[in-house]
Amino acid sequence: MYRICKWTTLIAFALALVLWLGFGGRAEFVARESGPYSPVVYISGWLALLGLIAATIMTVGFFGNAIGRTVKRNAIRYGMRK
């Protein structure tokens, strides 16, 4: 799961950055006061959102595992308190 989220995050952010900067998404977004924009702007936004979601899942999983290991280690070390 960690590997899938890591690569999804990296690829999504890279594609969003290429579309945003390389294909004129930023220039179009800045030049217009309001939409509708071309698909480049929308696709790069959705890809960036996908990257953020994957990074959030990866972070929650990492800290959840770390907290779980700490709880187990403390339960063994100090015993279960009632």
Side-chain angles (χ1 to χ4, degrees):
M1 180 67 137
Y2 175 76
R3 187 175 291 168
I4 293 170
C5 285
K6 178 179 73 171
W7 286 109
T8 302
T9 302
L10 291 173
I11 291 170
F13 282 143
L15 286 175
L17 189 64
V18 166
L19 286 174
W20 187 249
L21 296 176
F23 289 96
R26 181 188 178 278
E28 181 182 346
F29 184 76
V30 171
R32 288 193 185 177
E33 210 167 292
S34 64
Y37 300 108
S38 71
V40 172
V41 176
Y42 292 118
I43 292 171
S44 62
W46 282 107
L47 283 171
L49 180 64
L50 174 67
L52 285 174
I53 290 169
T56 302
I57 291 169
M58 191 168 46
T59 303
V60 167
F62 173 78
F63 283 112
N65 286 337
I67 291 169
R69 286 192 309 265
T70 303
V71 167
K72 286 178 186 176
R73 184 174 46 241
N74 287 342
I76 291 169
R77 183 178 295 160
Y78 301 114
M80 297 295 291
R81 294 183 181 167
K82 291 184 181 182

